Amino acid sequence: MTDRPSILVPLRVLEGESVPEGVPELLAHAHIVLLGYHVIPEQTAPGQARMQFEDRALERLDDYEAMFEGAGATVERRLVFTHDGQKTIDRMIAEHDCMAVLVPNATGPVEDVLVPVRGAIGVDRLARVVASVFGEMDADVTLYHVADEDTTDDDIQTLLGGMADRLAEFGMDPLRVETRIDRDQDPLDAIADIADSFDTVVMGETDPSLATFVFGMPADQIAERFLGPVFVVQREPAPEDEDE
């Protein structure tokens, strides 16, 4: 249907959670999987909830879909009544092969994008999302790495240079990509502190097999401390994940 990587935008559609200001423009060049979901009590059957609330939920999804399409995005949407919101989000990621999930906080015009880079694993997917979403904007991208004491300057330049090369291969203007390196800092604090100078953050997700994230911390902690939108790029599905 599209060569744009799919971005999942989950919204608790009946709990007053709407599309924040600036988010449709942020995703103007993306393909969006718009998930409207409502968490129901264990004793309530999803079919019962759907009969009661579906019309109101679909009306809101109609409005949100029109916002995104009006900004230029392509949209497919799902409405789910569920007992477990996180499981529903995880299932939508798998079913629609979403490359990233957006924590949709409000934003103004996006001029500066922060991309924390930990290592070479996942760089291709990270670059694809950044180039797809921001390649046609006038935004500047900063590749950021917090180095430990054992990492050499050559290692860091190889890592960030490789990421910059992938962005260029995906069509990003190299003149709009710069790098920043910090040392001897707590990575979570460093990213959260520097993020305040940026309009949005794009980072990798937790790898459950290693229990690590970009810089060894979970992305939701960054999303809680940073007021702008956060793209969480999903890890490459393992063969056993695909089989399931």
Side-chain angles (χ1 to χ4, degrees), residues 204-216:
E205 70 140 353
T206 302
D207 182 342
S209 66
L210 300 175
T212 60
F213 194 136
V214 176
F215 302 143

Side-chain angles (χ1 to χ4, degrees), residues 205-240:
E205 70 140 353
T206 302
D207 182 342
S209 66
L210 300 175
T212 60
F213 194 136
V214 176
F215 302 143
M217 100 290 292
D220 55 4
Q221 292 185 43
I222 295 297
E224 288 173 3
R225 295 175 59 175
F226 173 60
L227 298 179
V230 178
F231 291 85
V232 183
V233 178
Q234 303 300 293
R235 66 190 177 96
E236 189 80 41
E240 56 269 25

Side-chain angles (χ1 to χ4, degrees), residues 43-110:
Q43 63 270 24
T44 302
Q48 176 186 348
R50 183 174 291 274
M51 289 178 60
Q52 185 174 358
F53 298 116
E54 183 176 42
D55 289 345
R56 181 154 57 100
L58 287 176
E59 190 173 304
R60 293 184 179 178
L61 279 182
D62 285 341
D63 292 340
Y64 302 155
E65 183 177 14
M67 288 181 192
F68 285 117
E69 290 184 338
T74 56
V75 182
E76 57 183 311
R77 70 185 202 181
R78 292 288 302 273
L79 174 63
V80 179
F81 295 90
T82 178
H83 296 123
D84 190 320
Q86 187 58 54
K87 282 186 177 179
T88 296
I89 290 171
D90 292 341
R91 179 164 57 85
M92 290 299 109
I93 292 169
E95 287 184 4
H96 295 271
D97 193 24
C98 294
M99 197 163 286
V101 178
L102 178 67
V103 180
N105 296 324
T107 182
V110 175

